[in-house]
Structure formats: C-alpha cells, structure tokens
Amino acid sequence: MKTMYDDLESILLPAEKIAERVKQIGEKISADFAGNPPLIVCILKGSVVFFADLIRAIDLPIQIDFMAATSYGSGTVSSGEVAVVKDLAIDITGKNILLVEDIIDSGRTLVYLKKLLLSRNAASVSIVTLLDKPSRRTEKLVPDYCGFTIPDAFVVGYGLDYAEKYRNMKDIGILAPRIYEKG
Ligand code: IMP
Ligand code: MG
C-alpha cells in the first residue's frame, strides 16, 4: 500500500525526538514567563500540531489565540507578500505575546506579524519556532526559542505541508524533489 512516507527522501526528525525537544522548550518557557503568563498565538495552519503539544508542555495559566498569514501560495518558494487571512479574536493591548511558528525561512512572515502586533500595543512579542532554516534568511530575525536548526531542504509533516498535504504525518521528513519538480 502506498503511504505518505513514500513521498519522502528521508526522515529528518522522528516523532520521539520532536516530543523530547518540545518538552524542553515548554520547561524553558514556563521558567522564563513565570509570574507573567503570555498570550500564546498559533500561526495557522502549519503550527497547529507543534502548538497543541507545546501549550501542554507549559505549566502556566496562559491564554491562546489563532491567526493566519500567507506568503507562499501552493509552491515551495515564498512569494514575498505577507497577508493576514485570519485575525486574532482577543484584544492584545498591554499583553506579552508569544508567537508560535512552524518554520522560519526568509523571516518575512514573522517580521511582518511582529511589527503588526507591536503597532497594536502589545507589551512584547516573542517568537518560538520549531524549525529554523537560517541559510535562507533575507530579514534580520532571530527567534527567542528554536527547536531545531535545519539545512535548506523542503520539509513536511508535524503540521508542515506541501500543497496542503502531509500535515498529519507524525514525523518530519524531507520531501522528495520529484514531488514538486515537474517532468
Ligand atoms: P518565511 O516568511 O519565508 O519565513 O516563511 C515561513 C513560512 O513558509 C512557514 O510558516 C511555512 O508555512 C512556509 N515554509 C517555509 N519553509 C517550509 C518548508 O520547508 N516546508 C513547509 N513549509 C515551509
Ligand atoms: Mg506557516
């Protein structure tokens, strides 16, 4: 039987390794924000799996909300334009925000969102990303918390998609180039 895993070149991060790292990040955030629980914002859709695991690894009375931005279309290269396609429901004035991202590539999405939330008078905006591809950065942006620094490859699974597929894979894998290269 054909599975989603047949479309991978290799598995980069198995579920167990991700779980171990998420637990560590949750403990660090719990210590850093003790006495000052943040509003934790899930950037849809890619972060949803990481977000669900991360908030349960944080032992503080946090609040949550959701937001969606797009810069990609359906390909593997960013279009450069960022747009908010779903906005927050909670008033963020004076709040300490922790943005949860699946992966930072060019950095455009987060630079845009951070500026936007600060312009709405958030007290602070911190960033936690599961994955970082610093070799592809075009903006000056360093996350406050990062799960794994990875090489310049297109990855899917654990929330990350290619053309809206593979989000439900429990491991993170490198997508085989034949899947997105025509010919
Ligand atoms: P940035 O604005 O270029 O930093 O793009 C960040 C967004 O691009 C992420 O939130 C993902 O949605 C998407 N993205 C970047 N690299 C990958 C990848 O390797 N796999 C899946 N999505 C990716
Ligand atoms: Mg994303």
Side-chain angles (χ1 to χ4, degrees):
M1 197 185 70
K2 193 181 168 331
T3 81
M4 292 186 284
Y5 286 85
D6 295 332
D7 294 346
L8 299 184
E9 191 172 88
S10 60
I11 291 184
L12 183 66
L13 297 165
E16 300 71 30
K17 199 170 165 189
I18 300 170
E20 194 183 307
R21 187 74 183 115
V22 170
K23 187 168 174 278
Q24 290 171 350
I25 298 172
E27 284 167 4
K28 180 83 171 76
I29 290 171
S30 303
D32 291 354
F33 285 88
N36 189 20
L39 168 62
I40 306 190
V41 174
C42 175
I43 305 173
L44 297 169
K45 304 175 207 172
S47 304
V48 70
V49 180
F50 175 43
F51 177 84
D53 285 342
L54 181 66
I55 59 173
R56 288 176 294 170
I58 297 174
D59 187 14
L60 296 173
I62 57 142
Q63 296 182 317
I64 65 168
D65 205 350
F66 301 86
M67 181 166 207
T70 175
S71 71
Y72 257 64
S74 63
T76 60
V77 181
S78 174
S79 66
E81 298 278 303
V82 183
V84 171
V85 293
K86 186 222 174 289
D87 212 334
L88 297 170
I90 293 180
D91 178 15
I92 62 166
T93 309
K95 293 213 164 130
N96 294 299
I97 311 283
L98 179 62
L99 286 176
V100 181
E101 181 63 299
D102 50 356
I103 184 164
I104 307 179
D105 188 45
S106 70
R108 280 193 207 99
T109 307
L110 282 174
V111 163
Y112 178 87
L113 292 180
K114 190 169 178 174
K115 221 180 262 173
L116 179 71
L117 300 186
L118 287 171
S119 78
R120 291 181 185 171
N121 300 317
S124 68
V125 179
S126 308
I127 292 167
V128 53
T129 188
L130 179 65
L131 306 177
D132 192 3
K133 282 198 245 185
S135 60
R136 290 181 44 93
R137 198 76 95 253
T138 60
E139 312 293 312
K140 206 171 150 236
L141 182 88
V142 181
D144 299 274
Y145 306 91
C146 172
F148 303 93
T149 299
I150 65 165
D152 179 13
F154 197 83
V155 295
V156 294
Y158 197 70
L160 292 122
D161 74 307
Y162 171 66
E164 296 298 333
K165 290 193 298 188
Y166 311 104
R167 294 193 195 276
N168 58 318
M169 269 184 4
K170 64 186 174 59
D171 309 286
I172 293 175
I174 297 178
L175 190 63
R178 66 183 152 77
I179 304 298
Y180 55 83
E181 280 165 3
K182 287 220 173 88

